Amino acid sequence: MRTVTSDNITDTFINYFGPDTSPRTKQLMASLAAHLHDFVKETQLSHDEWRKALELLKWTGDMTNDERNEFVLLSDVLGVSSLVDMIHSDPKATSSSVLGPFHVLHSPERAYGADLKGDLEGEIILVEGVVKDTQGKLIAGAKVDIWQTAPNGMYSSQDPAQDIDSFHGIFTTDEAGRYAFTTVRPVSYTVPSDGPVGVLLDATGRHPWRPSHLHYMVSAPGCRTLVTEVFPSDDPYLDQDTVFGVREDLVVQYQAQAAGSFPTSGFELSGKVNQAYSSIHFDAILMKDA
Ligand code: BEZ
Ligand code: FE
């Protein structure tokens, strides 16, 4: 096409595809171009607005390094990460939720009933559940990788005062598919807002808070690895998670347990907890591998 107009630019773009372009690339790029071109026309985007958008993307790249990926955070606050999760979910399985930037590889393997809180103080929670597949079959030997914030709101990788293994652990389900551990209640915290994502949140009057949560990565042979989070039902940010990670099946009630009722055996903290504590139950249901 020699004379490109605002009416034919999308078709022209598609006609420029070379013969070796794969069908899926064609589909993705044609749709992306159509939506982008419509967006420009619909909003009558100005030169100044487009320049600012490109500067924001450049800043996003400049802030990205091995420790921090600002593009992932941008995808999270735009709701794209969660939408990709949702369109590939199986309603019979546990919903997946954002991975976030604080998962560490090679967390320590911990025994059934181990404690993650170490010397740190906070409301003790006892967490237990099973791993099963969508047919209800309990899965022995599944890996349940857990990570969370310390009571100061920081992950160990953000906090030089914490051991990197602090509040991280990988549990292996027993022959009945069960896992269990103790920890302290995680706290609500803010996503990093000192870069372009912070500017975007500010410009749209949004806060950077996430409801408190426990992160889970659950894997088992023959099943799709589940990356998810578990939220307490009373968190004030449950209805306004800035990365759109909350799903109904991921919200659990913290059940108050009376002082003196902590299990006398089976837990690393057995015999050491006299105060009141809370318990939560969370089962992870895995999809079969495609
Ligand atoms: C997190 O939960 O750790 C997290 C998720 C998305 C963006 C930032 C943090
Ligand atoms: Fe988190």
Side-chain angles (χ1 to χ4, degrees):
M1 182 73 64
R2 171 171 288 184
T3 304
V4 179
T5 67
S6 60
D7 286 333
N8 71 19
I9 189 165
T10 306
D11 289 337
T12 308
F13 177 88
I14 292 164
N15 284 333
Y16 284 175
F17 289 158
D20 297 332
T21 316
S22 75
R24 181 63 175 160
T25 301
K26 268 189 198 157
Q27 184 191 13
L28 291 171
M29 292 309 296
S31 176
L32 180 67
H35 286 283
L36 268 178
H37 294 169
D38 281 350
F39 165 76
V40 171
K41 289 189 262 189
E42 186 189 308
T43 61
Q44 289 293 294
L45 192 71
S46 71
H47 285 96
D48 196 39
E49 287 161 343
W50 186 228
R51 185 183 48 74
K52 282 196 181 127
L54 293 177
E55 275 168 9
L56 192 108
L57 286 178
K58 179 180 179 305
W59 186 16
T60 305
D62 291 344
M63 287 214 64
T64 295
N65 54 38
D66 286 349
E67 274 84 49
R68 171 168 177 176
N69 191 326
E70 194 75 2
F71 279 108
V72 173
L73 190 57
L74 187 61
S75 153
D76 293 344
V77 302
L78 289 174
V80 179
S81 310
S82 282
L83 200 48
V84 173
D85 270 350
M86 286 186 265
I87 62 173
H88 295 292
S89 72
D90 173 345
K92 294 191 293 309
T94 300
S95 300
S96 51
S97 184
V98 289
L99 171 67
F102 302 116
H103 176 250
V104 298
L105 294 173
H106 316 301
S107 272
E109 299 262 355
R110 298 191 192 267
Y112 184 96
D115 176 55
L116 297 181
K117 78 175 188 55
D119 297 336
L120 290 162
E121 298 302 327
E123 175 192 337
I124 293 179
I125 52 172
L126 186 160
V127 185
E128 54 191 348
V130 296
V131 178
K132 52 188 170 181
D133 66 19
T134 47
Q135 267 91 52
K137 187 171 164 293
L138 296 164
I139 305 176
K143 297 287 178 193
V144 182
D145 187 349
I146 303 288
W147 67 106
Q148 68 166 101
T149 52
N152 66 1
M154 286 202 270
Y155 286 88
S156 59
S157 54
Q158 297 175 291
D159 182 4
Q162 281 183 59
D163 189 290
I164 192 72
D165 291 343
S166 163
F167 289 103
H168 288 73
I170 301 177
F171 297 86
T172 304
T173 54
D174 67 9
E175 65 294 338
R178 296 175 308 173
Y179 73 92
F181 62 94
T182 52
T183 182
V184 289
R185 186 187 260 263
V187 297
S188 321
Y189 63 86
T190 57
V191 301
S193 57
D194 54 343
V197 165
V199 167
L200 196 77
L201 293 176
D202 265 356
T204 49
R206 282 171 60 184
H207 65 68
W209 286 90
R210 295 214 62 206
S212 62
H213 51 269
L214 295 168
H215 286 276
Y216 278 65
M217 186 184 286
V218 186
S219 54
C223 293
R224 190 191 291 180
T225 296
L226 170 70
V227 175
T228 195
E229 306 174 279
V230 176
F231 303 90
S233 56
D234 58 356
D235 192 286
Y237 293 103
L238 210 54
D239 295 321
Q240 37 178 318
D241 179 6
T242 202
V243 298
F244 309 97
V246 181
R247 317 273 176 272
E248 205 55 50
D249 61 321
L250 305 181
V251 178
V252 297
Q253 287 231 320
Y254 279 47
Q255 307 282 354
Q257 306 292 341
S261 67
F262 194 85
T264 49
S265 64
F267 286 84
E268 191 179 340
L269 293 186
S270 292
K272 299 180 191 149
V273 178
N274 298 315
Q275 70 268 42
Y277 66 101
S278 293
S279 62
I280 68 175
H281 186 100
F282 179 73
D283 293 341
I285 307 172
L286 305 186
M287 276 188 247
K288 287 274 179 212
D289 248 344

